[in-house]
Amino acid sequence: MKRLLPLVLCLAVPQVHAQEVADPELVGELMAFHGSKTIVSAMTTHCYETTGLDSAYKTAYDNWHLRNVGFLDLAKRVAEKLGGGSPEAVAAAETYGGSQIMSAYNQAENKEIFCRSFLEQVNSGALDIDKQLPGPLSRAQNISVQ
C-alpha cells in the first residue's frame, strides 16, 4: 500500500495546460503532497472514531503534521511559483487522496488490523512526504532556492 499511494496520487491529480504552467508534471506531483496529508488525516480520524476514540490516532496525525507541514508549505509556494497549485487543484488532490484511502479501508478484510497497520506506518514516518515523494520534494527544494 505505501509504495502505491504516491504513484497513484501523482497520476490522478489533474494536470494543467502546459502553456499555463512552467512544469505541469511537477505541479501535479506537488499536489500529491496535499493528497498525502488528506490520506493521513482522513484515516487517522476514521480509525480514531471507529476504535473507541483511541487517542493514539490523533497523536499520530499531530506528529505527522508537525513533521510534514514545511513540505506542504513548500509544495504550495513552488506550485504557485510555477503557475499552478490553484485551490481547485489542491481540493482535487485532497478529494482523490481521501477517496483512495477510504476505498482501501473498505476493501480490508479486517478493519482493526488495517487501522493498526496504518497507525504503525504513520508513527514510523513511512508515510511522510520525504519518504513517499522524495523526487518531487527534491525538485521543489531546488526551485525554491533559485
Side-chain angles (χ1 to χ4, degrees), residues 4-52:
L4 183 60
L5 289 175
L7 176 63
V8 169
L9 283 170
C10 289
L11 295 175
V13 176
Q15 298 296 315
V16 184
H17 299 300
Q19 70 265 21
E20 297 174 12
V21 177
D23 188 342
E25 180 181 337
L26 179 57
V27 169
E29 292 170 334
L30 294 173
M31 293 301 96
F33 288 27
H34 298 286
S36 292
K37 176 186 177 212
T38 300
I39 286 170
V40 174
S41 174
M43 193 47 49
T44 54
T45 299
H46 186 73
C47 291
Y48 168 77
E49 292 170 352
T50 60
T51 59

Short mmCIF file of all heavy atoms in Angstrom, two decimals, residues 4-52:
data_model
loop_
_atom_site.label_atom_id
_atom_site.label_comp_id
_atom_site.label_asym_id
_atom_site.label_seq_id
_atom_site.Cartn_x
_atom_site.Cartn_y
_atom_site.Cartn_z
N LEU A 4 2.40 2.29 -3.43
CA LEU A 4 1.43 2.57 -4.48
C LEU A 4 0.80 3.95 -4.34
O LEU A 4 0.52 4.60 -5.33
CB LEU A 4 0.33 1.51 -4.46
CG LEU A 4 -0.74 1.60 -5.53
CD1 LEU A 4 -0.11 1.49 -6.90
CD2 LEU A 4 -1.76 0.50 -5.34
N LEU A 5 0.64 4.43 -3.11
CA LEU A 5 -0.05 5.70 -2.89
C LEU A 5 0.58 6.88 -3.62
O LEU A 5 -0.12 7.63 -4.29
CB LEU A 5 -0.16 6.00 -1.39
CG LEU A 5 -1.13 5.11 -0.64
CD1 LEU A 5 -1.07 5.42 0.86
CD2 LEU A 5 -2.54 5.26 -1.14
N PRO A 6 1.91 7.09 -3.55
CA PRO A 6 2.47 8.25 -4.25
C PRO A 6 2.28 8.17 -5.76
O PRO A 6 1.98 9.17 -6.40
CB PRO A 6 3.96 8.21 -3.90
CG PRO A 6 4.12 7.23 -2.84
CD PRO A 6 2.91 6.36 -2.79
N LEU A 7 2.45 6.98 -6.32
CA LEU A 7 2.30 6.83 -7.76
C LEU A 7 0.87 7.12 -8.17
O LEU A 7 0.63 7.87 -9.12
CB LEU A 7 2.69 5.41 -8.19
CG LEU A 7 2.47 5.09 -9.67
CD1 LEU A 7 3.33 5.99 -10.53
CD2 LEU A 7 2.76 3.64 -9.95
N VAL A 8 -0.08 6.57 -7.47
CA VAL A 8 -1.49 6.78 -7.79
C VAL A 8 -1.83 8.25 -7.65
O VAL A 8 -2.49 8.82 -8.52
CB VAL A 8 -2.38 5.91 -6.88
CG1 VAL A 8 -3.84 6.29 -7.01
CG2 VAL A 8 -2.19 4.44 -7.21
N LEU A 9 -1.37 8.89 -6.60
CA LEU A 9 -1.66 10.30 -6.41
C LEU A 9 -1.07 11.16 -7.51
O LEU A 9 -1.73 12.05 -8.04
CB LEU A 9 -1.14 10.78 -5.05
CG LEU A 9 -1.99 10.39 -3.86
CD1 LEU A 9 -1.25 10.70 -2.56
CD2 LEU A 9 -3.33 11.08 -3.89
N CYS A 10 0.16 10.89 -7.88
CA CYS A 10 0.80 11.70 -8.92
C CYS A 10 0.10 11.54 -10.27
O CYS A 10 0.00 12.49 -11.03
CB CYS A 10 2.27 11.31 -9.07
SG CYS A 10 3.27 11.86 -7.67
N LEU A 11 -0.38 10.35 -10.56
CA LEU A 11 -1.04 10.12 -11.84
C LEU A 11 -2.46 10.66 -11.86
O LEU A 11 -2.99 11.01 -12.91
CB LEU A 11 -1.06 8.62 -12.15
CG LEU A 11 0.31 7.99 -12.38
CD1 LEU A 11 0.15 6.49 -12.55
CD2 LEU A 11 1.01 8.60 -13.56
N ALA A 12 -3.10 10.73 -10.71
CA ALA A 12 -4.51 11.07 -10.67
C ALA A 12 -4.79 12.57 -10.57
O ALA A 12 -5.86 13.02 -10.93
CB ALA A 12 -5.17 10.37 -9.49
N VAL A 13 -3.84 13.32 -10.07
CA VAL A 13 -4.07 14.75 -9.90
C VAL A 13 -4.20 15.40 -11.27
O VAL A 13 -3.35 15.19 -12.14
CB VAL A 13 -2.94 15.40 -9.09
CG1 VAL A 13 -3.11 16.89 -8.99
CG2 VAL A 13 -2.87 14.77 -7.71
N PRO A 14 -5.26 16.16 -11.49
CA PRO A 14 -5.47 16.77 -12.81
C PRO A 14 -4.29 17.64 -13.21
O PRO A 14 -3.78 18.41 -12.42
CB PRO A 14 -6.72 17.62 -12.62
CG PRO A 14 -7.31 17.25 -11.32
CD PRO A 14 -6.26 16.54 -10.52
N GLN A 15 -3.88 17.48 -14.43
CA GLN A 15 -2.78 18.27 -14.95
C GLN A 15 -3.32 19.55 -15.59
O GLN A 15 -4.39 19.56 -16.17
CB GLN A 15 -2.00 17.47 -15.98
CG GLN A 15 -1.37 16.21 -15.41
CD GLN A 15 -0.33 16.51 -14.35
OE1 GLN A 15 0.51 17.38 -14.52
NE2 GLN A 15 -0.39 15.79 -13.25
N VAL A 16 -2.56 20.61 -15.49
CA VAL A 16 -2.93 21.90 -16.04
C VAL A 16 -2.27 22.04 -17.39
O VAL A 16 -1.24 21.44 -17.66
CB VAL A 16 -2.47 23.02 -15.07
CG1 VAL A 16 -2.91 24.38 -15.55
CG2 VAL A 16 -3.01 22.75 -13.67
N HIS A 17 -2.85 22.82 -18.27
CA HIS A 17 -2.30 23.01 -19.62
C HIS A 17 -0.86 23.50 -19.56
O HIS A 17 -0.53 24.39 -18.80
CB HIS A 17 -3.14 24.00 -20.42
CG HIS A 17 -4.55 23.54 -20.60
ND1 HIS A 17 -4.88 22.38 -21.25
CD2 HIS A 17 -5.72 24.08 -20.18
CE1 HIS A 17 -6.19 22.23 -21.25
NE2 HIS A 17 -6.72 23.23 -20.60
N ALA A 18 0.00 22.92 -20.40
CA ALA A 18 1.43 23.21 -20.38
C ALA A 18 1.72 24.69 -20.62
O ALA A 18 2.66 25.23 -20.07
CB ALA A 18 2.15 22.35 -21.41
N GLN A 19 0.92 25.36 -21.44
CA GLN A 19 1.21 26.77 -21.71
C GLN A 19 0.93 27.66 -20.51
O GLN A 19 1.42 28.77 -20.42
CB GLN A 19 0.46 27.28 -22.95
CG GLN A 19 -1.03 27.41 -22.79
CD GLN A 19 -1.79 26.19 -23.26
OE1 GLN A 19 -1.25 25.09 -23.37
NE2 GLN A 19 -3.06 26.35 -23.55
N GLU A 20 0.16 27.15 -19.53
CA GLU A 20 -0.18 27.95 -18.36
C GLU A 20 0.77 27.70 -17.20
O GLU A 20 0.92 28.54 -16.32
CB GLU A 20 -1.61 27.64 -17.91
CG GLU A 20 -2.65 28.01 -18.93
CD GLU A 20 -4.03 27.56 -18.52
OE1 GLU A 20 -4.22 27.16 -17.36
OE2 GLU A 20 -4.92 27.61 -19.37
N VAL A 21 1.41 26.54 -17.16
CA VAL A 21 2.25 26.15 -16.04
C VAL A 21 3.63 25.79 -16.57
O VAL A 21 3.77 25.04 -17.53
CB VAL A 21 1.61 24.95 -15.30
CG1 VAL A 21 2.51 24.49 -14.17
CG2 VAL A 21 0.24 25.33 -14.77
N ALA A 22 4.65 26.30 -15.90
CA ALA A 22 6.02 26.06 -16.34
C ALA A 22 6.40 24.58 -16.29
O ALA A 22 7.11 24.10 -17.15
CB ALA A 22 6.99 26.88 -15.48
N ASP A 23 5.92 23.84 -15.29
CA ASP A 23 6.24 22.42 -15.15
C ASP A 23 5.01 21.70 -14.62
O ASP A 23 4.88 21.45 -13.43
CB ASP A 23 7.43 22.25 -14.20
CG ASP A 23 7.96 20.83 -14.15
OD1 ASP A 23 7.23 19.89 -14.57
OD2 ASP A 23 9.09 20.65 -13.67
N PRO A 24 4.07 21.38 -15.52
CA PRO A 24 2.81 20.78 -15.07
C PRO A 24 2.98 19.44 -14.36
O PRO A 24 2.23 19.12 -13.45
CB PRO A 24 1.98 20.63 -16.34
CG PRO A 24 2.96 20.69 -17.45
CD PRO A 24 4.12 21.52 -16.98
N GLU A 25 3.99 18.66 -14.75
CA GLU A 25 4.22 17.37 -14.09
C GLU A 25 4.61 17.59 -12.62
O GLU A 25 4.08 16.94 -11.72
CB GLU A 25 5.31 16.58 -14.80
CG GLU A 25 5.58 15.24 -14.16
CD GLU A 25 6.67 14.46 -14.86
OE1 GLU A 25 6.94 14.70 -16.05
OE2 GLU A 25 7.25 13.59 -14.21
N LEU A 26 5.53 18.51 -12.38
CA LEU A 26 5.95 18.78 -11.01
C LEU A 26 4.79 19.37 -10.20
O LEU A 26 4.59 19.00 -9.04
CB LEU A 26 7.16 19.72 -10.96
CG LEU A 26 7.65 20.07 -9.55
CD1 LEU A 26 7.99 18.81 -8.75
CD2 LEU A 26 8.84 21.02 -9.63
N VAL A 27 4.02 20.25 -10.80
CA VAL A 27 2.87 20.82 -10.08
C VAL A 27 1.91 19.70 -9.67
O VAL A 27 1.43 19.67 -8.54
CB VAL A 27 2.15 21.90 -10.92
CG1 VAL A 27 0.81 22.29 -10.29
CG2 VAL A 27 3.05 23.12 -11.07
N GLY A 28 1.66 18.76 -10.57
CA GLY A 28 0.81 17.62 -10.23
C GLY A 28 1.38 16.80 -9.09
O GLY A 28 0.66 16.37 -8.18
N GLU A 29 2.69 16.59 -9.12
CA GLU A 29 3.35 15.85 -8.04
C GLU A 29 3.28 16.62 -6.73
O GLU A 29 3.11 16.03 -5.66
CB GLU A 29 4.79 15.54 -8.43
CG GLU A 29 4.90 14.55 -9.57
CD GLU A 29 6.30 14.42 -10.13
OE1 GLU A 29 7.11 15.37 -10.03
OE2 GLU A 29 6.59 13.36 -10.70
N LEU A 30 3.39 17.93 -6.79
CA LEU A 30 3.30 18.74 -5.57
C LEU A 30 1.88 18.72 -5.00
O LEU A 30 1.70 18.77 -3.79
CB LEU A 30 3.75 20.19 -5.86
CG LEU A 30 5.22 20.34 -6.21
CD1 LEU A 30 5.52 21.77 -6.63
CD2 LEU A 30 6.12 19.90 -5.07
N MET A 31 0.90 18.62 -5.86
CA MET A 31 -0.48 18.50 -5.38
C MET A 31 -0.66 17.17 -4.65
O MET A 31 -1.47 17.06 -3.74
CB MET A 31 -1.48 18.63 -6.53
CG MET A 31 -1.52 20.01 -7.18
SD MET A 31 -1.94 21.35 -6.05
CE MET A 31 -0.32 21.98 -5.61
N ALA A 32 0.13 16.16 -5.02
CA ALA A 32 0.07 14.88 -4.33
C ALA A 32 0.49 15.01 -2.87
O ALA A 32 0.06 14.22 -2.02
CB ALA A 32 0.93 13.84 -5.04
N PHE A 33 1.30 16.03 -2.55
CA PHE A 33 1.65 16.27 -1.14
C PHE A 33 0.37 16.50 -0.35
O PHE A 33 0.20 16.01 0.76
CB PHE A 33 2.54 17.50 -0.99
CG PHE A 33 3.96 17.36 -1.47
CD1 PHE A 33 4.33 16.46 -2.47
CD2 PHE A 33 4.93 18.18 -0.94
CE1 PHE A 33 5.65 16.37 -2.91
CE2 PHE A 33 6.26 18.09 -1.37
CZ PHE A 33 6.61 17.19 -2.35
N HIS A 34 -0.55 17.29 -0.92
CA HIS A 34 -1.81 17.58 -0.25
C HIS A 34 -2.69 16.34 -0.17
O HIS A 34 -3.40 16.13 0.82
CB HIS A 34 -2.54 18.72 -0.96
CG HIS A 34 -1.77 20.00 -0.96
ND1 HIS A 34 -1.63 20.78 0.18
CD2 HIS A 34 -1.06 20.61 -1.93
CE1 HIS A 34 -0.87 21.83 -0.11
NE2 HIS A 34 -0.51 21.74 -1.38
N GLY A 35 -2.62 15.51 -1.19
CA GLY A 35 -3.34 14.23 -1.15
C GLY A 35 -2.82 13.35 -0.03
O GLY A 35 -3.59 12.67 0.66
N SER A 36 -1.50 13.36 0.16
CA SER A 36 -0.90 12.58 1.25
C SER A 36 -1.40 13.06 2.61
O SER A 36 -1.70 12.25 3.49
CB SER A 36 0.63 12.67 1.21
OG SER A 36 1.13 12.02 0.08
N LYS A 37 -1.48 14.36 2.75
CA LYS A 37 -1.98 14.92 4.02
C LYS A 37 -3.40 14.42 4.27
O LYS A 37 -3.75 14.02 5.39
CB LYS A 37 -1.97 16.43 3.98
CG LYS A 37 -2.58 17.06 5.23
CD LYS A 37 -2.69 18.57 5.13
CE LYS A 37 -3.37 19.09 6.38
NZ LYS A 37 -4.16 20.26 6.13
N THR A 38 -4.23 14.44 3.25
CA THR A 38 -5.61 14.01 3.41
C THR A 38 -5.69 12.52 3.73
O THR A 38 -6.51 12.10 4.54
CB THR A 38 -6.44 14.34 2.16
OG1 THR A 38 -6.39 15.76 1.97
CG2 THR A 38 -7.87 13.89 2.30
N ILE A 39 -4.83 11.73 3.11
CA ILE A 39 -4.81 10.30 3.41
C ILE A 39 -4.55 10.08 4.89
O ILE A 39 -5.27 9.34 5.56
CB ILE A 39 -3.75 9.59 2.54
CG1 ILE A 39 -4.26 9.49 1.10
CG2 ILE A 39 -3.40 8.21 3.10
CD1 ILE A 39 -3.21 9.04 0.10
N VAL A 40 -3.54 10.73 5.41
CA VAL A 40 -3.20 10.55 6.83
C VAL A 40 -4.29 11.14 7.72
O VAL A 40 -4.73 10.51 8.68
CB VAL A 40 -1.82 11.17 7.14
CG1 VAL A 40 -1.52 11.11 8.63
CG2 VAL A 40 -0.73 10.44 6.34
N SER A 41 -4.77 12.31 7.39
CA SER A 41 -5.81 12.94 8.20
C SER A 41 -7.11 12.14 8.20
O SER A 41 -7.69 11.88 9.27
CB SER A 41 -6.07 14.36 7.66
OG SER A 41 -7.15 14.95 8.33
N ALA A 42 -7.56 11.74 7.02
CA ALA A 42 -8.83 11.02 6.92
C ALA A 42 -8.77 9.68 7.64
O ALA A 42 -9.69 9.32 8.38
CB ALA A 42 -9.21 10.81 5.46
N MET A 43 -7.68 8.95 7.44
CA MET A 43 -7.64 7.61 8.03
C MET A 43 -7.37 7.66 9.53
O MET A 43 -7.94 6.86 10.28
CB MET A 43 -6.61 6.74 7.31
CG MET A 43 -6.72 5.27 7.66
SD MET A 43 -8.40 4.53 7.64
CE MET A 43 -9.05 5.04 6.07
N THR A 44 -6.54 8.58 10.00
CA THR A 44 -6.34 8.65 11.45
C THR A 44 -7.63 9.08 12.13
O THR A 44 -7.97 8.57 13.20
CB THR A 44 -5.17 9.57 11.84
OG1 THR A 44 -5.35 10.87 11.26
CG2 THR A 44 -3.83 8.99 11.42
N THR A 45 -8.37 9.99 11.52
CA THR A 45 -9.66 10.40 12.08
C THR A 45 -10.65 9.25 12.05
O THR A 45 -11.34 8.98 13.05
CB THR A 45 -10.23 11.61 11.31
OG1 THR A 45 -9.32 12.70 11.43
CG2 THR A 45 -11.59 12.02 11.85
N HIS A 46 -10.74 8.57 10.93
CA HIS A 46 -11.69 7.47 10.80
C HIS A 46 -11.36 6.36 11.80
O HIS A 46 -12.25 5.84 12.49
CB HIS A 46 -11.69 6.92 9.38
CG HIS A 46 -12.73 5.89 9.14
ND1 HIS A 46 -14.06 6.20 9.03
CD2 HIS A 46 -12.64 4.54 9.04
CE1 HIS A 46 -14.76 5.10 8.85
NE2 HIS A 46 -13.91 4.07 8.85
N CYS A 47 -10.09 5.99 11.90
CA CYS A 47 -9.70 4.93 12.83
C CYS A 47 -9.90 5.39 14.28
O CYS A 47 -10.31 4.59 15.12
CB CYS A 47 -8.26 4.51 12.58
SG CYS A 47 -8.04 3.62 11.01
N TYR A 48 -9.62 6.63 14.57
CA TYR A 48 -9.87 7.19 15.91
C TYR A 48 -11.33 6.99 16.30
O TYR A 48 -11.65 6.52 17.38
CB TYR A 48 -9.49 8.67 15.92
CG TYR A 48 -9.96 9.44 17.13
CD1 TYR A 48 -9.29 9.32 18.35
CD2 TYR A 48 -11.04 10.29 17.06
CE1 TYR A 48 -9.71 10.04 19.46
CE2 TYR A 48 -11.47 11.02 18.16
CZ TYR A 48 -10.80 10.89 19.36
OH TYR A 48 -11.21 11.59 20.46
N GLU A 49 -12.21 7.31 15.37
CA GLU A 49 -13.65 7.22 15.65
C GLU A 49 -14.14 5.77 15.73
O GLU A 49 -15.03 5.47 16.52
CB GLU A 49 -14.44 7.98 14.58
CG GLU A 49 -14.21 9.47 14.65
CD GLU A 49 -14.78 10.24 13.47
OE1 GLU A 49 -15.24 9.60 12.48
OE2 GLU A 49 -14.76 11.47 13.52
N THR A 50 -13.56 4.89 14.92
CA THR A 50 -14.06 3.51 14.89
C THR A 50 -13.39 2.60 15.92
O THR A 50 -13.81 1.46 16.08
CB THR A 50 -13.90 2.89 13.49
OG1 THR A 50 -12.53 2.89 13.14
CG2 THR A 50 -14.73 3.64 12.46
N THR A 51 -12.36 3.08 16.59
CA THR A 51 -11.68 2.27 17.60
C THR A 51 -12.01 2.71 19.02
O THR A 51 -11.27 2.42 19.95
CB THR A 51 -10.15 2.30 17.41
OG1 THR A 51 -9.71 3.65 17.50
CG2 THR A 51 -9.74 1.68 16.10
N GLY A 52 -13.11 3.42 19.17
CA GLY A 52 -13.48 3.86 20.50
C GLY A 52 -12.69 5.05 20.99
O GLY A 52 -12.40 5.17 22.18
#
